[in-house]
Every structure is written in C-alpha cells, then in structure tokens.
C-alpha cells in the first residue's frame, strides 16, 4: 500500500493530534433526522411527484420510487462496507481517494462541496419565494424573496455554530411535523379504501404500470428526490460507535425514504383516481402551482385547516434542508482544510466543536450563489431552484458512481472483507444502476431543470470543470509541499 493511500485511509481516531469534531454527539436517530431533513420530504413530494405523474409514467410513479430505492440500496451496501474501515467527515472525498487515489479524491471533494452548496442555494430560492408569499399573506410586510433568504442565512450560520446537537434538535421538530401530516393523510386514505377508483394497487405497482409512459423520466425524478442520504458518513466522526451507527442510519434512511415516497405518491394518485391523476397533475403544472396536486387532496381529507399549515410546513421543510446542507458543506471544508487541500484555518473549531470558520465561508458561498439571481431580477423558482437542483443531482450521481468503483478497487487491493456480495456484486450492480441513472439525467436534463438546452449544456459542463479544478488544486499543493521545493 503506498503512502498516499495510507494517508487517505486514516481515521480520526488514528490521528489524535488533528482537529477533530465532537465525538459521540449523534446516535442513529440524530443522523437520520439530518438525512431526512436534507431530502426535504414535503418538498420532494410537492415538487417532484406532480411532474413525474404528468410527464413520467403517470399512475406508475410509486413503482419508480421503488426502483430508485433499490438502486440506492445496492449502492449503500458497498458504501457501508467501506465505511466500516474509514471514518472521516470527508465521506466521498476519503472513500474515493482511498480507492482511486488522492487526486481523484480531491476532485471528488470539489464536486461534493459544489453539489451541497448548489442544492442549498436552490432550496434558498424556493424558500425565499415561499416565505415572502407567506409574509405578504399574513402580515403587513412585503419583503423581497432575497431579503428573506439573507436573513435565513444568518440564522443558519448561528445554528450551525451552536453545535451539531442543537441542529439535530431543530431538525427533529421540522422533520416530524412534515412527515406527520403526510403520514396522517396516507393512513386516512388507506382506511377509507382509496379515492374514486379505490386504492389501485395494480395501477401503481404492476409491471405494466411501471413501464407505461416515460418510466425513465419518473425514475430520474425519484432519484432526485432521494438526494442527501449519503450524509450519514459525513457525521461519522460525531457519531456514537460510528462503525455500527452509520450503517444502521444509512440503511434506515434509504428504507424510510423509499417507503415514504412510494406510499405517499401512491395515496395521492389513489385520492385523485389512477385514470385522472395525470390530468390533475398536468392541470396543476399548467396553473403554475404544482403543489396544488398534493395540497388539494390532503385538505379534502384532513380539512381546510391544512391549507394554512402546509405552506408553512413546506417553508420549514426547506429551512431544515438548508441547515443540513450547511452542515454537510462546512464539514467538507473542515476536512479539506485539515488535510491540506484548502487553508488550514478552515479546520478551526469553536468551544462547541463546530467548524465555525468553515461555516462562515459556506455562508458566504451561499450568498455569492444566490445574489446574482436577485440582482438580475430572475424568478427564484424557475431559475435558481430549478437549475441548481438539477445540477446538484447530476453531480451527486457522479460521486455515487465513483464511490461504487472505489469500493470494488479498495476491497480487491485490501482483503479486509472477504464477503463477495457487499464488496463486489452489490457495488457493481449499484454502479450499473447509477450509470443508467446518469444517462437518464443527461438525456432529460433540459426537462429536469425546466430550462433551455443552452442553459442545460453550461450546467452539465460545470461538473467536470469543478472536478478538474479540484484535481489541479491537489497537484499544485502537493508540488508546493513536496520535499526540496522552495
């Protein structure tokens, strides 16, 4: 094993002199709340499900979530296997660097940091629009969306610096609220035997239903809705008994999210009626209020009071998401600073063991990503949210693919685990599924971002550019620190 690979494999517990995040701060549920908040379940259902039903495979959308969940679960097998030997806040950076070399790891770290920052910026755009509307509807205030966003950035910065436990408590409240109301709708729909056409199990889960229309588009949006589950590894340094906690949190998050999206999309389709759901979704999209496809049946079942609650829960869902990605991005900055890929000041911790310098830098990056859209007077939903969310999904899928390859290479070189399923077959199958997902995303990227082909091209090209810049930065810094260089 060469010295670079050995360096990439180091765990926090093997390096007591390095700056370390607070150990034993999070259990399985704490990590799970971070993952679920990053996936913003209400946002995913209200944003992606109507599009999938309208232009994907219609009433077969729930089956698309099951397929996407299966692909992610296969990926998770190898991801978890490698995580038993590597515990580091860099996650993809360290995993890929260990298997494919430090240069590939550094490039992947840049892509991961890019993905977390742009998905957070995307959420800020939708969040600012929703909060601005809520203020105008319920108070005398008429604040532009970007003012709401900048104020929230300051709040997120404070919560991030307050320590990981504080963030977990805040997220638990928001996640339980959005899950609770949708699960109440799911249960009510099941108890009533479904909508006008019954529960329609075959209409949503049979092979013919899954393959109707454009199933590739539906799977693409389903995968986009599951963005963020890999954050379990990012919190490994702060987890209690990480070699057990992180695998449990990873598998639990994939199963919970897959089950939730499949169940809720199914009950929504049932509430509309399987034959009527695509028309209802198209009508909602044409009106410019895609969330109406979701909110209307929920209000019909649970009562009119839901109309006032759901927009607030959508805002808190997005707030939970931006806080989660703030923590994910600042831990990448912290890890890169600790490993010499970025300035060492980024790994400074405050008295609550939070990476406060990295947090401030992340907040500045978020503002720099958001403000050009505000200054240009662009619609934050049609541009900032749509463009950056699609871009983040593409970047993250590339990281999943590289990680799957890295797992296979790592265990072929280091026979630490002789299990063929979790070190070879599952990662290879997962890599094939993810490669197919990347092809679907590229083929339908203009649809995913809701923009023009020229915009889609520039966004797609930004991902390899970011990776190349990460590799170049690594090589420059290595030359500067190599013995004999002055």
């Amino acid at each position: 094993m060469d010295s670079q690979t050995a360096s990439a494999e180091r765990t926090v517990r093997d390096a007591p002199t390095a700056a370390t995040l607070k150990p034993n701060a999070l259990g399985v549920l704490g990590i799970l709340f971070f993952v679920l908040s990053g996936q913003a379940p209400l946002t995913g259902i209200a944003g992606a499900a109507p599009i999938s039903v309208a232009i994907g495979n219609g009433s077969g959308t729930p089956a698309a979530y099951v397929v996407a969940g299966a692909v992610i679960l296969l990926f998770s097998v190898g991801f978890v296997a490698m995580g038993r030997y590597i515990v580091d806040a860099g996650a993809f950076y360290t995993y890929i660097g260990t298997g494919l070399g430090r240069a590939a790891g550094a490039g992947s770290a840049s892509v991961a940091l890019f993905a977390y920052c742009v998905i957070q910026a995307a959420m800020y755009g939708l969040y600012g629009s929703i909060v601005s509307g809520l203020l105008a509807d319920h108070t005398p205030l008429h604040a532009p969306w970007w003012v709401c966003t900048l104020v929230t950035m300051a709040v997120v910065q404070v919560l991030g610096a307050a320590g990981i436990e504080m963030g977990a408590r805040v997220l638990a409240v928001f996640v339980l609220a959005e899950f609770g109301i949708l699960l109440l709708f799911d249960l009510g729909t099941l108890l009533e035997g479904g909508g006008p056409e019954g529960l329609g199990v075959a209409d949503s889960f049979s092979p013919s239903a899954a393959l109707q229309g454009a199933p590739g588009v539906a799977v693409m949006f389903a995968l986009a809705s599951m963005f963020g589950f890999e954050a379990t590894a990012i919190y490994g340094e702060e987890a209690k008994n990480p070699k057990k906690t992180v695998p449990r949190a990873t598998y639990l998050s994939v199963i919970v999210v897959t089950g939730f999206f499949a169940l809720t999309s199914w009950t929504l389709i049932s509430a509309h009626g399987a034959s009527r759901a695509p028309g209802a979704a198209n009508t909602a999209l044409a009106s410019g209020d895609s969330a109406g496809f979701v909110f209307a049946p929920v209000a019909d079942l649970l009562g009119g009071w839901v109309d006032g609650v759901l927009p607030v829960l959508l805002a808190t869902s997005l707030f939970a998401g931006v806080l989660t990605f703030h923590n994910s991005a600042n831990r990448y900055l912290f890890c890169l600073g600790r490993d010499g890929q970025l300035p060492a000041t980024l790994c400074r911790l405050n008295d609550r063991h939070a990476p406060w310098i990295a947090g401030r830098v992340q907040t500045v990056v978020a503002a720099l990503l958001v403000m050009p859209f505000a200054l240009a007077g662009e619609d934050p939903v049609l541009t900032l949210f749509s463009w950056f969310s699609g871009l983040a999904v593409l970047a993250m899928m590339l990281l999943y693919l590289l990680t799957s390859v890295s797992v296979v290479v790592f265990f072929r070189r280091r026979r630490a685990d002789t299990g063929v399923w979790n070190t070879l077959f599952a990662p290879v199958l997962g890599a094939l599924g993810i490669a197919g997902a990347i092809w679907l995303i590229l083929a339908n990227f203009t649809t995913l971002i809701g923009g023009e082909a020229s915009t889609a091209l520039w966004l797609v090209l930004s991902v390899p550019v970011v990776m190349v810049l990460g590799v170049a930065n690594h090589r420059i810094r290595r030359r500067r620190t190599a013995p004999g260089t002055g």
Side-chain angles (χ1 to χ4, degrees):
M1 184 184 300
D2 59 42
S3 60
Q4 291 180 4
T5 301
S7 175
E9 287 185 46
R10 72 141 175 85
T11 67
V12 172
R13 289 162 180 76
D14 294 331
T17 59
T20 57
L21 298 166
K22 186 174 183 179
N24 301 315
L26 295 172
V28 172
L29 290 180
I31 297 175
L32 180 64
F33 282 129
F34 272 105
V35 172
L36 296 181
S37 60
Q39 291 169 327
L42 181 57
T43 305
I45 284 292
I51 303 174
S52 183
V53 173
I55 65 175
N57 59 347
S59 62
T61 291
Y65 284 111
V66 174
V67 171
V71 171
I72 297 299
L73 194 59
L74 285 170
F75 166 81
S76 299
V77 173
F79 186 69
V80 164
M82 200 166 186
R84 291 192 173 97
Y85 299 91
I86 300 170
V87 179
D88 192 275
F92 288 130
Y93 160 53
T94 313
Y95 287 19
I96 295 170
T98 300
L100 304 181
R102 292 297 298 274
S108 300
S110 298
V111 174
L113 185 59
F114 180 64
Y116 288 131
C117 286
V118 296
I119 191 63
Q120 186 200 43
M123 291 178 136
Y124 269 131
L126 181 56
Y127 171 88
S129 176
I130 291 171
V131 172
S132 176
L134 287 172
L135 289 174
D137 290 341
H138 301 290
T139 73
L141 298 176
H142 293 274
W145 69 269
W146 55 268
V147 171
C148 301
T149 294
L150 290 177
V151 170
T152 303
M153 284 182 186
V155 175
V156 167
Q157 170 62 33
V158 170
L159 286 174
I164 198 69
E165 300 101 321
M166 177 62 73
R169 293 188 191 106
V170 171
L171 295 176
V173 174
F174 293 153
V175 169
L176 288 174
E178 61 181 301
F179 260 90
I181 197 165
L182 289 176
L183 289 176
L184 188 61
F185 165 75
D186 295 338
L187 180 60
T189 302
L190 293 175
L191 290 176
E192 289 196 353
E197 300 173 16
L199 288 173
V201 178
D203 293 320
S204 289
F205 293 104
S206 67
S208 60
L211 295 173
Q212 67 185 348
V217 173
V219 171
M220 176 186 69
F221 278 102
L223 286 166
S225 300
M226 296 182 181
F227 185 103
F229 85 93
E230 75 291 330
T232 53
I234 293 176
Y235 300 106
E237 292 187 27
E238 297 156 283
K240 301 171 184 176
N241 194 359
K243 293 184 179 181
K244 290 183 178 179
T245 301
V246 172
R248 290 172 183 171
T250 302
Y251 286 132
L252 186 59
S253 65
V254 174
I255 292 169
V256 168
V257 169
T258 301
F260 172 80
F261 279 117
L263 173 63
T264 304
S265 60
W266 172 40
T267 54
L268 284 168
I269 289 168
S270 175
H272 284 283
S275 65
R276 306 175 189 176
N282 271 302
T283 300
L285 292 175
S287 70
D289 180 23
S290 62
F293 176 78
V294 177
F295 290 0
V298 175
D300 288 342
L301 180 68
L302 301 182
W305 62 272
V306 171
D307 288 328
V309 172
L310 283 174
V312 175
L313 287 180
L314 185 55
T316 59
S317 171
L318 288 161
F319 178 84
V322 298
L323 177 57
T324 293
F325 290 121
H326 171 81
N327 284 323
S328 296
N330 70 32
R331 277 153 180 76
Y332 260 92
L333 288 168
F334 165 85
C335 190
L336 290 170
R338 185 171 62 186
D339 284 2
Q341 299 293 328
L342 291 175
T345 53
L346 291 171
C347 63
R348 290 183 183 174
L349 304 174
N350 62 16
D351 57 0
R352 299 187 68 85
H353 287 262
W356 64 282
I357 296 290
R360 289 183 177 181
V361 170
Q362 199 286 316
T363 299
V364 170
V365 170
L368 291 174
L369 288 171
V370 167
M371 287 313 296
F373 290 86
L375 294 173
E378 297 286 353
D379 185 296
V381 179
L382 298 179
T383 56
L384 178 55
F385 176 72
S386 297
W387 296 359
F388 279 7
S389 56
L391 176 58
V393 171
L394 176 61
M396 194 55 66
M397 285 295 143
L398 174 61
L399 294 175
Y400 290 173
L401 179 61
L402 291 175
T403 301
S404 293
V405 175
S406 179
V407 169
V408 174
V409 173
F410 172 75
F411 284 109
R412 300 287 72 75
R413 288 177 178 170
R414 175 179 171 177
R415 300 285 178 173
D417 189 328
T418 57
V420 178
W421 168 250
N422 58 338
T423 65
L424 180 61
F425 290 160
V428 168
L429 290 173
L432 292 174
I434 292 163
I438 292 174
W439 178 82
L440 287 173
I441 290 169
L442 290 174
N444 298 280
F445 197 71
T446 304
T447 301
L448 182 60
I449 67 167
E452 298 178 352
S454 58
T455 302
L457 177 61
W458 284 110
L459 291 173
V460 167
L461 290 176
S462 69
V463 177
V465 168
V466 167
M467 186 152 191
V468 169
L469 289 174
V471 173
N473 174 69
H474 165 74
R475 295 192 183 283
I476 291 170
R477 285 185 171 271
R478 188 176 63 179
R479 281 197 294 269
R480 286 178 179 175
T481 56
T485 59

